[in-house]
Amino acid sequence: MWSFVLVYGLSALVLLFVYYRWTRRKAIAALAKMNGPPKLPLLGHLYLVKYTSQEKLFHFLIKIGNTYPSPLGIQLGPIDLVIIYRPDHLQAVLASPHCISRPFWYDFFRVSRGIFSSPAHIWKGQRKVLNHSFGPGILNSFVSIFNEKSAILTKMMGAHVGRGERDFGREMGKAALDTIYSTAFGLNFGLQEAPEGDKYLEVQEEFIDLVLKRIFCAINYSERIYRLTKEYKREQELLSYVRLLTNRIMRAKNADEILSGAIGLPSVKAEETDGKKPQIFLDKLLELAVENKQQLSKDDIPEHLDTIIFAGNDTTATTMSNLLLMLAMHPDVQERVYQEVMEACPDIDQSVSMEDTAKLTYTELVCKETMRLFPVGPLIGRIAEADIKLDDEHMIPAGTQVGCAIYMVHKDRSIWGQNADEFDPDRFLPENIEKIHPYAYLPFSGGIRNCIGIRYAWVSMKIMIVHILRKYRLKTSLTMDQITLHYCILLKIANGCWISVEERNK
């Protein structure tokens, strides 16, 4: 009896293995031509996937990337993953109309219909409509808000003048969050000075950590299994808090009444851009939901709000923290930026105009170099929905998950020189950057599904820099060789933004 069960069981496993190999023969053959560490039968590279600490995880990923050239073929059980970090490979994927959808792990963020992680057929319509919410006309109307929120930030920083070094990361986070609420949603909740700002950032940080743990725990890829864990229970508690804030936004904008037809859509401002009347992000969402319920339902709107808060808040805050640290660490660079700021808008209480930001050319070089060294999105994902040819030797088969390792290409010495680890804004001078492959620098992703808020980020960061440097001189005892990095979906400096601030007029 038992011998029969054993033989039957082994036979079933053999048949399953044969079926598995046969149905995936094309992918197996393609991945076999790629570089990568040794793998086990069936399990592949699952033995490498283990979450210990964010710092160790980041260094492990860098070690793998430095050991094996692009493309890197990874097998996670039944999941095929190709990681690329060569400019021509990145261009082949990011510019392809067959590589727009996101991989499975983006679903872990619980915003599967938001513009951040929605599938290609949904994303295309959303992006086309929402592009107008970040166009030049509406962006120009945000300038006064950028100035207002930057002025609050400098006031908050002023409380720490002369008190030594501290981590200003939380101040950057609340300033970015406060700005997003006022610009994208048209609501002024005063989150820089309200306790909700701190609470939201704490919730966001814990939620992102849970997502990261799930990504590096293969057994939790199964939603049924994950729902049995304590991490899932905690995740739902955090999401409940986020939804409270989202519902507050919806109530403040009378969203339920608009969607039910009880009241009309909000009136549009008179500014025109290319013949179209721009609207803020939330207004455009409501319009889309009213006019095309199949493309965007009422239940989808909270996911879009959560997406824009995370994408606009944590990315901007992290970049600003990194930027202030680089300015503090390189006083000669800080002085050049300060002189440029004072030439463009010298009055310490003067608002910064869109025209003023265009004059900050060296400041832009500093921003670019900071984002080269510390890209907030070090690894972004796509799904190959058709075969993608990388080069004459390698092809990514349809159905394969693709990881685009932006950090690796940003630090590639064959591209950026032997001093690629050093901070040098001049490498972005026109005569230098024209020699660099366009897909060797991707701080806002690239290709078809690039970041929708590129112009928003540039203008808001420049205005914030002007307000800070007109008032304060930044210093730090940290040096470049002391910086440690960790991966928590976004790339962050583990040391934090430890700087001191001094009044410039004293």
Side-chain angles (χ1 to χ4, degrees):
M1 172 67 180
W2 287 110
S3 60
F4 172 78
V5 172
L6 180 61
V7 171
Y8 181 81
L10 289 174
S11 299
L13 287 174
V14 170
L15 288 173
L16 181 62
F17 178 72
V18 171
Y19 174 77
Y20 168 81
R21 296 283 299 186
W22 173 255
T23 56
R24 298 179 65 253
R25 62 193 182 280
K26 185 177 180 180
I28 291 171
L31 265 67
K33 294 181 179 180
M34 298 181 185
N35 308 294
K39 61 182 179 181
L40 301 174
L42 288 179
L43 294 178
H45 298 99
L46 277 174
Y47 71 96
L48 295 173
V49 181
K50 49 188 177 181
Y51 184 93
T52 52
S53 73
Q54 293 169 337
E55 289 83 0
K56 290 181 180 178
L57 169 62
F58 178 74
H59 289 298
F60 167 74
L61 294 174
I62 298 304
K63 180 180 179 181
I64 291 291
N66 287 332
T67 304
Y68 305 98
S70 175
L72 180 65
I74 298 292
Q75 180 193 339
L76 303 174
I79 299 170
D80 300 321
L81 172 64
V82 174
I83 301 179
I84 54 174
Y85 31 94
R86 231 172 69 179
D88 56 330
H89 290 172
L90 290 164
Q91 183 174 19
V93 168
L94 295 175
S96 171
H98 305 297
C99 268
I100 300 177
S101 290
R102 304 289 204 179
F104 70 94
W105 63 80
Y106 279 72
D107 293 338
F108 300 164
F109 289 92
R110 306 300 187 188
V111 286
S112 58
R113 289 183 62 86
I115 197 169
F116 172 67
S117 57
S118 56
H121 68 281
I122 296 176
W123 173 84
K124 289 177 182 177
Q126 293 174 343
R127 178 65 180 257
K128 184 178 180 180
V129 172
L130 296 176
N131 269 338
H132 301 305
S133 299
F134 293 90
I138 195 65
L139 186 60
N140 192 59
S141 72
F142 290 162
V143 168
S144 61
I145 297 174
F146 294 151
N147 276 280
E148 175 193 344
K149 301 306 180 183
S150 295
I152 295 173
L153 171 63
T154 56
K155 184 184 76 172
M156 303 291 285
M157 293 177 69
H160 304 284
V161 168
R163 295 188 176 183
E165 293 182 13
R166 68 185 301 277
D167 186 357
F168 280 91
R170 184 53 60 87
E171 280 78 8
M172 296 302 113
K174 289 191 292 184
L177 186 65
D178 199 18
T179 305
I180 285 291
Y181 269 71
S182 291
T183 53
F185 310 143
L187 299 170
N188 187 7
F189 286 171
L191 294 176
Q192 291 191 72
E193 299 170 289
E196 291 93 337
D198 288 291
K199 176 65 175 177
Y200 182 88
L201 294 180
E202 291 167 5
V203 167
Q204 179 175 274
E205 289 168 4
E206 187 177 353
F207 177 78
I208 294 303
D209 193 48
L210 289 176
V211 172
L212 186 66
K213 287 182 178 180
R214 188 178 181 188
I215 289 174
F216 288 92
C217 183
I219 193 173
N220 284 335
Y221 291 175
S222 166
E223 184 68 19
R224 288 185 178 181
I225 293 176
Y226 185 60
R227 285 175 180 265
L228 300 175
T229 65
K230 63 180 181 180
E231 286 81 8
Y232 174 78
K233 181 179 179 181
R234 181 55 181 161
E235 172 197 285
Q236 294 304 301
E237 292 172 352
L238 297 173
L239 286 175
S240 294
Y241 177 79
V242 171
R243 292 291 182 247
L244 287 175
L245 290 181
T246 304
N247 291 335
R248 183 182 176 191
I249 295 171
M250 298 282 279
R251 289 194 302 271
K253 298 293 289 188
N254 299 313
D256 288 340
E257 291 83 353
I258 291 172
L259 295 171
S260 67
I263 61 176
L265 287 163
S267 59
V268 180
K269 293 183 179 181
E271 298 97 334
E272 300 239 356
T273 303
D274 297 329
K276 296 184 175 65
K277 294 181 178 180
Q279 292 172 287
I280 62 174
F281 183 80
L282 181 51
D283 290 345
K284 203 65 186 176
L285 282 178
L286 293 172
E287 179 186 290
L288 182 60
V290 169
E291 296 179 354
N292 193 338
K293 291 183 173 62
Q294 290 184 336
Q295 188 173 359
L296 185 74
S297 71
K298 174 185 174 181
D299 294 336
D300 293 336
I301 292 179
E303 292 194 9
H304 280 282
L305 302 187
D306 295 341
T307 296
I308 205 68
I309 291 171
F310 168 69
N313 161 46
D314 210 3
T315 54
T316 301
T318 300
T319 300
M320 276 302 304
S321 294
N322 297 343
L323 181 56
L324 294 187
L325 185 60
M326 290 300 99
L327 289 171
M329 202 175 286
H330 300 88
D332 55 330
V333 172
Q334 181 181 170
E335 184 60 25
R336 284 186 65 181
V337 173
Y338 173 68
Q339 293 301 329
E340 183 176 73
V341 163
M342 297 309 289
E343 288 178 12
C345 36
D347 188 338
I348 195 170
D349 296 317
Q350 174 186 349
S351 290
V352 187
S353 68
M354 188 72 81
E355 291 73 22
D356 293 331
T357 65
K359 300 173 186 175
L360 303 176
T361 54
Y362 182 72
T363 302
E364 186 166 317
L365 302 187
V366 175
C367 294
K368 287 180 175 179
E369 176 67 345
T370 300
M371 289 186 283
R372 182 191 69 83
L373 287 172
F374 313 107
V376 288
L379 181 69
I380 60 174
R382 297 287 188 271
I383 297 175
E385 297 177 322
D387 293 347
I388 305 295
K389 182 180 179 181
L390 293 179
D391 51 42
D392 292 338
E393 185 181 355
H394 301 106
M395 180 269 295
I396 301 177
T400 303
Q401 319 283 323
V402 185
C404 302
I406 291 172
Y407 179 84
M408 294 299 299
V409 76
H410 278 198
K411 300 295 285 290
D412 190 331
R413 285 181 168 79
S414 68
I415 299 171
W416 301 99
Q418 291 305 306
N419 69 338
D421 291 332
E422 298 175 10
F423 182 78
D424 179 13
D426 286 348
R427 72 174 82 244
F428 284 94
L429 288 169
E431 61 269 24
N432 294 329
I433 199 63
E434 67 180 9
K435 305 170 188 175
I436 303 297
H437 192 291
Y439 280 77
Y441 182 66
L442 299 166
F444 297 101
S445 181
I448 297 172
R449 195 166 182 168
N450 66 341
C451 176
I452 194 173
I454 295 175
R455 287 176 295 192
Y456 180 103
W458 277 123
V459 175
S460 63
M461 286 193 299
K462 284 184 176 182
I463 291 177
M464 201 173 288
I465 291 168
V466 170
H467 280 266
I468 293 172
L469 289 192
R470 283 194 307 199
K471 284 198 170 185
Y472 306 124
R473 182 177 288 104
L474 313 177
K475 293 185 177 181
T476 184
S477 60
L478 280 172
T479 56
M480 289 293 288
D481 61 303
Q482 294 175 324
I483 287 179
T484 58
L485 301 173
H486 66 204
Y487 177 66
C488 47
I489 307 301
L490 301 183
L491 180 67
K492 296 197 175 186
I493 296 177
N495 311 67
C497 180
W498 279 86
I499 61 174
S500 62
V501 291
E502 298 176 358
E503 293 277 6
R504 281 194 179 270
N505 58 359
K506 288 185 178 182

